[in-house]
Amino acid sequence: MQFVDLKSQYRRLKSSIDARIQTVLDHGQYILGPEVRELEGRLAQRIGSEHCIGAASGTDALLLAMMALGIGPGDEVITSPFTFFATAEMIVLLEATPVFVDIDPVTYSIDPAKIEAAITPRTRAIMPVCLYGQPAEMDPINAIAARHHLAVIEDAAQSFGGLYFGRPSGNLSTIGCTSFFPSKPLGCYGDGGACFTNDDALATAMLELRNHGQDRRYHHIRIGINGRLDTIQAAVLLAKLDVFDAELLARSEAADSYSAFLKGVVHTPKVAPNRTSAWAQYTIEVDDREAVEAYLHEAGIPTAVHYPVALHKQPVFASHAGHGACSFPHAESAARRVLSLPMHPYLAPGDIQRVADAVKAAVSHPANP
Ligand SMILES: Cc1ncc(COP(=O)(O)O)c(C=O)c1O
């Protein structure tokens, strides 16, 4: 059993992916070729945003968003301590300071009720993270940001395909950033990402910043980066986009089956009312994670931990700006307890039953695999 089964997906899509890649090999425009523009158009249309700017990774998408907003030394960005490292890493790379605010223990996203207390005169932006595929609670976050004249950057790396009151993740704030890392719900065959915005000036800035700050060839009006989405990755994504809705449905059916099998056995993930998840991960909570992991691995079932250490406890942040002394109990508890089970659109019902049976056995006899 695979944790994410990219081979089955490739078998299903082989003819269209191969044809798309062959087209790129034939025209040879590997950098910012026509597929990049086609993909940007289709993604923007899909989520209803004015602009989509393809990026070299989800990490670069976050960096480009903050660079376009002019975030830099002395600025503070409020974010979640329970996320992939890149979220806070890019804030520090720009010499700004991440200010962590604890999560809601149900959705694992930043708790809007705790944000206002963290705002200072140096705060420039709020960066909620839509963890495991479920959009964060964006309306209250946007309302706080509007009151304090802050930007909101949605880290939608895991939630492209998810909905918040029917509105697509990625288009819920000033700038939305997503990732096309291969194991993401919409993943390419290397690194990739995108930024979305409805603001023309920010879109122009991000387009220029991703391409060395050029507004035209060899005319550099900003200090930027080499942060372009490459054409072959765009071609792969165009082929995968054709089946993305069917895959989202398959993920959500797999999640529903897991939850039905595991009800009352372990803490199963909950999607808040009026939201849908892209189910980047199906993540349970268990008391004795090491024992459960060991049991499942013995049974041939791959698992992963997203994420084992809350960011304020990571060595680089523990010594940074007093983060080590902070306490975020919900993030710390989640980091100790979460365990992600195999999740992808090609899980057979029998696979889900087998994983669920093994989880049941593991929690009842954790010490006896
Ligand atoms: C929440 C979150 N933010 C940012 C990233 C960075 O994306 P990438 O790996 O494409 O750079 C990821 C991806 O792993 C992520 O899960």
Side-chain angles (χ1 to χ4, degrees), residues 60-363:
D60 275 355
L62 294 171
L63 183 63
L64 291 168
M66 286 189 284
M67 289 173 83
L69 288 162
I71 290 170
D75 293 337
E76 293 178 355
V77 178
I78 293 175
T79 192
S80 165
F82 191 56
T83 173
F84 180 59
F85 185 66
T87 311
E89 182 186 28
M90 291 304 103
I91 299 171
V92 178
L93 197 69
L94 289 173
E95 295 181 53
T97 301
V99 174
F100 296 118
V101 167
D102 207 358
I103 54 167
D104 170 328
V106 176
T107 63
Y108 303 104
S109 289
I110 195 166
D111 182 348
K114 298 187 174 137
I115 290 177
E116 228 149 5
I119 294 176
T120 76
R122 291 182 297 282
T123 309
R124 291 289 315 281
I126 307 171
M127 193 187 286
V129 181
C130 306
L131 210 71
Y132 304 149
Q134 172 170 196
E137 224 195 308
M138 296 302 290
D139 281 349
I141 295 171
N142 285 328
I144 294 166
R147 272 202 298 284
H148 296 270
H149 309 290
L150 307 173
V152 178
I153 302 165
E154 181 196 3
D155 183 342
Q158 302 184 8
S159 59
F160 193 77
L163 298 173
Y164 180 79
F165 288 89
R167 285 141 50 206
S169 180
N171 189 22
L172 298 172
S173 66
T174 320
I175 302 176
C177 299
T178 196
S179 163
F180 304 127
F181 188 82
S183 58
K184 293 289 191 268
L186 182 62
C188 55
Y189 287 163
D191 279 306
C195 303
F196 301 92
T197 187
N198 296 311
D199 181 307
D200 296 346
L202 288 174
T204 302
M206 291 189 284
L207 275 172
E208 292 168 357
L209 286 163
R210 77 164 177 193
N211 198 17
H212 301 291
Q214 297 173 93
D215 62 348
R216 57 183 194 273
R217 200 159 195 209
Y218 300 135
H219 189 258
H220 304 265
I221 58 166
R222 310 167 189 269
I223 297 298
I225 60 172
N226 176 350
R228 304 168 298 232
L229 176 68
D230 79 60
T231 313
I232 286 185
Q233 300 308 338
V236 170
L237 290 165
L238 281 164
K240 290 198 185 187
L241 207 47
D242 291 338
V243 297
F244 186 50
D245 283 317
E247 290 192 343
L248 283 172
L249 186 63
R251 283 175 180 278
S252 127
E253 285 171 357
D256 288 348
S257 304
Y258 269 137
S259 294
F261 285 129
L262 293 172
K263 193 165 182 238
V265 177
V266 288
H267 176 286
T268 53
K270 309 283 178 301
V271 178
N274 292 312
R275 294 184 230 180
T276 67
S277 177
W279 292 108
Q281 307 297 344
Y282 184 89
T283 304
I284 59 172
E285 285 189 31
V286 292
D287 294 332
D288 189 351
R289 183 172 64 203
E290 261 185 39
V292 175
E293 273 180 302
Y295 187 99
L296 293 178
H297 290 191
E298 195 68 26
I301 293 168
T303 60
V305 175
H306 305 98
Y307 297 91
V309 181
L311 291 192
H312 61 293
K313 300 280 187 198
Q314 284 288 355
V316 67
F317 289 133
S319 58
H320 189 272
H323 286 129
C326 295
S327 161
F328 303 108
H330 293 310
E332 287 159 34
S333 163
R336 272 192 309 275
R337 295 172 51 82
V338 291
L339 184 65
S340 301
L341 303 179
M343 170 49 85
H344 56 81
Y346 301 91
L347 278 170
D351 295 334
I352 297 172
Q353 169 104 56
R354 202 182 123 211
V355 175
D357 286 346
V359 170
K360 279 183 205 169
V363 294

